[in-house]
Amino acid sequence: MIRNSLMIFLGAALLLFQAGTAAAQDNADNIYSVQPKELTIADCGGCHKAHFGWLKDNGGRHQKVACWDCHEKFHLYNPLKNNYAEIMPKCSQCHELPHGSAEPVTQCLTCHSNPHQPLASLPDPEQLFPNCKLCHDAVAQELVAKPSKHTERRCSECHSKVHGRIPDCSECHQSHSPMVAMETPDCLKCHPVHTPLAISYPEDQAKELCAGCHGEIFTMLQASKAKHSALTCAKCHPTHGEIPPCSRCHGDAPHSPAIHQKFPVCLTCHSNPHDLKI
């Protein structure tokens, strides 16, 4: 009797062990038997390596945005439904008409062809040219309001090769004066780049720079022994092209009243303010 009970117990234990082993084997074969974890950026990059690389290297402000912040729907594309447009995120989720409401600039992907590297994917400037003023309206207005040779140029002639490129002035222009080696910052002290004829300059601007256009006057002034030779051009000509009255510095009566009455115009005697020989 005891022997039979022991055999029954051992048999039941064996069956349980075999069942447990089979269940464990089933779980081992079931790759979905794990507890899923939240996705990470690295998980997305494991499959979408190109997109991960674009964002990592040239993502701009999009580098601060997680994949799922834009892709609220993913892994839902069905070629039978052709629902690509439906599941793709819209720029307007974050960007509300950043360049205005004109039709060409509301089609974001026309220019920003790859949203994973929005600035690095801009097309050649030559292709952008017809619509430049839609984003750069203030510049366009400057060019029209104060015409110069720059007004006649296409934007892409200066901003060439890649969108946003700032050229050196020396690519088109030589220095005013052989006495001065000019860099772009020197040019911009006097010439606003889009309105280059609206010339302004500091009072201490070197005379050698002015000599590039006014060489004869510069030579005359340098040879003069009068006090004017020690002044900068901008001291007397604070606005480009302005001819100042002598009284601005010398007052109304540097000579006796009799002299001024006889010669009311200073240049009657001082025929050239750059060479005050009488």
Side-chain angles (χ1 to χ4, degrees):
M1 183 70 177
I2 295 174
R3 179 188 174 89
N4 289 340
S5 298
L6 181 61
M7 293 299 291
I8 292 171
F9 173 78
L10 291 173
L14 179 61
L15 289 173
L16 288 172
F17 174 77
Q18 289 174 341
T21 302
Q25 183 63 43
D26 286 344
N27 284 336
D29 293 338
N30 184 356
I31 61 175
Y32 293 98
S33 63
V34 297
Q35 183 65 33
K37 298 179 181 180
E38 293 290 333
L39 283 174
T40 66
I41 299 291
D43 293 328
C44 298
C47 292
H48 304 283
K49 291 182 172 61
H51 303 75
F52 184 90
W54 291 328
L55 282 160
K56 179 182 178 182
D57 297 333
N58 294 299
R61 292 184 180 180
H62 284 185
Q63 289 176 337
K64 298 180 181 180
V65 180
C67 306
W68 46 86
D69 289 337
C70 292
H71 297 277
E72 297 174 352
K73 300 178 181 179
F74 48 91
H75 296 163
L76 295 177
Y77 176 65
N78 186 329
L80 296 178
K81 295 180 180 179
N82 193 26
N83 61 338
Y84 187 83
E86 177 186 334
I87 66 172
M88 282 297 104
K90 308 296 185 290
C91 302
S92 57
Q93 290 174 203
C94 298
H95 306 283
E96 185 176 353
L97 301 178
H99 300 305
S101 58
E103 179 63 24
V105 292
T106 59
Q107 307 301 313
C108 306
L109 296 181
T110 301
C111 295
H112 303 283
S113 57
N114 186 339
H116 301 96
Q117 47 179 2
L119 298 181
S121 60
L122 287 164
D124 184 278
E126 191 69 25
Q127 300 176 39
L128 283 170
F129 172 71
N131 296 323
C132 293
K133 66 179 181 180
L134 293 172
C135 294
H136 304 283
D137 184 56
V139 171
Q141 289 187 34
E142 286 181 353
L143 286 163
V144 173
K146 297 182 178 179
S148 69
K149 289 185 177 180
H150 283 189
T151 309
E152 301 168 5
R153 307 261 66 87
R154 295 168 66 88
C155 305
S156 55
E157 290 184 45
C158 293
H159 304 286
S160 56
K161 298 178 183 178
V162 62
H163 182 263
R165 174 181 178 268
I166 305 299
D168 287 324
C169 299
S170 60
E171 293 176 22
C172 296
H173 304 282
Q174 295 180 344
S175 174
H176 281 299
S177 171
M179 293 177 281
V180 180
M182 294 181 63
E183 303 291 340
T184 294
D186 299 314
C187 304
L188 297 182
K189 287 180 181 178
C190 296
H191 301 281
V193 65
H194 296 111
T195 56
L197 299 183
I199 301 170
S200 61
Y201 37 70
E203 187 175 300
D204 61 353
Q205 184 63 268
K207 289 182 288 187
E208 288 76 12
L209 194 64
C210 304
C213 293
H214 308 284
E216 184 179 344
I217 291 174
F218 173 80
T219 301
M220 185 184 300
L221 193 61
Q222 289 295 93
S224 173
K225 295 181 180 180
K227 292 181 179 180
H228 283 188
S229 64
L231 304 176
T232 64
C233 302
K235 177 68 175 177
C236 294
H237 305 281
T239 300
H240 188 259
E242 177 189 6
I243 306 299
C246 301
S247 59
R248 178 184 294 172
C249 294
H250 299 288
D252 294 327
H255 299 296
S256 68
I259 294 292
H260 278 282
Q261 186 175 4
K262 185 175 182 179
F263 304 104
V265 178
C266 300
L267 295 184
T268 303
C269 298
H270 304 286
S271 57
N272 192 322
H274 303 99
D275 183 0
L276 295 175
K277 295 177 182 178
I278 298 177

